[in-house]
Amino acid sequence: MITARLSRSPGPRRTRPAPLLGQHNHELLTELGLTAREITALEADGVIGRAPTR
């Protein structure tokens, strides 16, 4: 068996969990120009989901 030696590698990677489904909806839709009322209406109509609380 050959073992790879990575003496010039950048070191350990820092990972974080993936975002939850819908977690960034409000931020993104606000940046696109939607108001809080419009986003709430989309949630109420089932068009977009609401991020579950952890």
Side-chain angles (χ1 to χ4, degrees):
M1 175 189 252
I2 299 174
T3 304
R5 293 182 187 211
L6 304 174
S7 61
R8 293 185 179 183
S9 67
R13 290 188 176 178
R14 296 184 179 125
T15 60
R16 56 184 143 158
L20 299 173
L21 183 61
Q23 181 176 345
H24 299 107
N25 282 353
H26 278 269
E27 293 173 65
L28 293 173
L29 294 173
T30 299
E31 287 181 19
L32 292 173
L34 277 75
T35 65
R37 178 177 276 171
E38 292 171 319
I39 296 169
T40 301
L42 291 174
E43 289 174 342
D45 292 341
V47 176
I48 60 172
R50 182 177 299 189
T53 56
R54 289 188 183 210

